[in-house]
Amino acid sequence: MDPMLTITDVSRRSGVASSALRFYEERGLIASERAGSGHRRYPRSVLRRIAFIVFAQRIGLTLEEIAAELAKLPADHVPTRRDWSRLSGEWRKRIDERIAELQRLRSGLTECIGCGCLSIDRCSLANPADMAGRKGQGPRYWLG
Amino acid sequence: MDPMLTITDVSRRSGVASSALRFYEERGLIASERAGSGHRRYPRSVLRRIAFIVFAQRIGLTLEEIAAELAKLPADHVPTRRDWSRLSGEWRKRIDERIAELQRLRSGLTECIGCGCLSIDRCSLANPADMAGRKGQGPRYWLG
DNA sequence: GCTTGACTTCAAGTTAACTTGAACTTGTAG
DNA sequence: CTACAAGTTCAAGTTAACTTGAAGTCAAGC
């Protein structure tokens, strides 16, 4: 009946390893209180926060971006569904762009590779849009 | 009029850095001949091979997977369009799965976060399918 | 002959997102 | 009281895909 959860509880219920939970805390994505022993204790609301993190990762956000989003949540109360939904503004666009790119790649699979035009001179299939989570490195620019 | 290209030629025409080209060679994705000076010389066909590599990366394949695909190309002649298109079998499925996931995430953005059900107990939005290029690490499993 | 630019190799650095290991401390069951 | 599981911190290791730097070679222009 204790409302607070141990790190193992949270790990089991979220599917996120304890080491990752400590790492998230270090990066400021989640927080914990401490029991007298020094052990972490989490309120239930952390589970939703973690769900949000995992969700955002699947979309392609980096932890840094996610941290920035989470920082927009009000500090004075446990976030409501309204608070959460305010965070998703930019995301829809991002998902749509990535879907569009994949569809382009998909049709290129038939048309471009199939027809033999997959040549750097004429084909502009792979383009640099989105590429979430990899900035400033790699040679992945492609001038279509 | 020389049919062979230098590494800078290839880099400029493909948009892939020379350091990356050397790296690809080391990993067996591309090959080069050597001029008397020891400098690399590439046949034009390498450009299509590189286009294929970049394309496959955008889809989400790792270099290791791409190398495995490329190994299926015939060694006795410069690949034809038919040779190339044979390689794309599995890909379509992969793209479709990733698109489906993104669409699922997208609707979750409205329905799940919006309605407030983004809770680890009830929500199964983020699932582990695909996750190209990240195996055996990270806590990114999510039991829907 | 000298400088410049393109090229070479090889080792080490980079980034994200964690994991692993070492060295300890705490909590719980018997 | 003794195990042993569960927790803690902190530093270092891991993986992918490259990049960067050091140190040296080679070809072309002046």
Side-chain angles (χ1 to χ4, degrees):
Chain A
M1 282 296 143
D2 190 326
M4 298 300 266
L5 306 168
T6 67
I7 197 166
T8 312
D9 292 336
V10 174
S11 173
R12 239 195 313 268
R13 302 194 59 174
S14 65
V16 173
S18 336
S19 59
L21 294 173
R22 292 194 195 94
F23 178 73
Y24 289 164
E25 181 168 334
E26 197 187 305
R27 297 303 206 77
L29 287 121
I30 59 177
S32 63
E33 288 160 34
R34 297 301 174 112
S37 58
H39 291 185
R40 289 173 173 80
R41 287 298 123 92
Y42 299 92
R44 278 238 189 64
S45 58
V46 83
L47 290 174
R48 176 173 289 212
R49 210 172 160 98
I50 294 168
F52 181 86
I53 295 170
V54 174
F55 183 98
Q57 279 190 303
R58 297 293 302 159
I59 289 176
L61 298 182
T62 63
L63 286 187
E64 203 181 323
E65 292 172 306
I66 298 170
E69 290 293 305
L70 286 171
K72 297 178 190 164
L73 285 173
D76 59 337
H77 63 272
V78 172
T80 65
R81 61 197 62 175
R82 270 192 149 288
D83 292 325
W84 285 116
S85 65
R86 253 194 289 274
L87 298 192
S88 58
E90 175 70 8
W91 299 12
R92 211 176 308 273
K93 209 180 106 209
R94 198 150 174 170
I95 296 179
D96 287 343
E97 281 166 3
R98 179 63 182 155
I99 289 178
E101 189 198 5
L102 286 172
Q103 277 162 349
R104 208 153 34 74
L105 289 169
R106 192 191 190 292
S107 73
L109 211 51
T110 312
E111 291 161 29
C112 227
I113 293 191
C115 87
C117 86
L118 186 60
S119 130
I120 280 174
D121 294 336
R122 285 172 290 156
C123 189
S124 60
L125 262 182
N127 97 0
D130 132 282
M131 225 29 210
R134 313 205 80 231
K135 295 168 186 159
Q137 20 166 22
R140 288 78 172 300
Y141 52 90
W142 189 275
L143 315 160
Chain B
M1 282 295 144
D2 192 324
M4 299 300 268
L5 307 167
T6 68
I7 196 166
T8 312
D9 293 335
V10 173
S11 173
R12 238 195 313 269
R13 302 195 59 172
S14 66
V16 173
S18 337
S19 60
L21 293 174
R22 290 195 196 93
F23 179 73
Y24 289 164
E25 181 169 333
E26 196 186 305
R27 296 304 205 76
L29 288 120
I30 58 177
S32 64
E33 288 161 34
R34 296 304 173 110
S37 58
H39 293 184
R40 288 174 175 80
R41 287 299 124 91
Y42 299 92
R44 229 158 252 271
S45 58
V46 84
L47 290 174
R48 177 173 286 212
R49 209 171 162 100
I50 293 168
F52 181 86
I53 294 170
V54 174
F55 183 98
Q57 278 190 305
R58 297 293 303 159
I59 289 176
L61 298 182
T62 63
L63 287 187
E64 203 182 324
E65 293 172 306
I66 297 171
E69 291 292 307
L70 287 171
K72 297 178 190 162
L73 285 173
D76 58 339
H77 62 272
V78 171
T80 65
R81 61 196 60 173
R82 270 194 150 288
D83 292 326
W84 285 115
S85 65
R86 254 194 289 274
L87 298 192
S88 61
E90 176 69 9
W91 298 13
R92 211 175 306 273
K93 211 181 104 207
R94 197 148 173 172
I95 296 179
D96 287 342
E97 281 165 4
R98 179 63 181 155
I99 289 178
E101 190 198 4
L102 286 172
Q103 276 162 348
R104 208 152 36 75
L105 289 168
R106 192 192 191 292
S107 73
L109 210 53
T110 314
E111 292 161 27
C112 225
I113 294 191
C115 87
C117 86
L118 187 60
S119 131
I120 280 173
D121 294 335
R122 287 172 288 155
C123 189
S124 59
L125 263 182
N127 97 1
D130 128 285
M131 227 27 210
R134 313 205 78 230
K135 295 168 185 159
Q137 23 166 20
R140 290 77 172 300
Y141 53 91
W142 190 274
L143 313 160

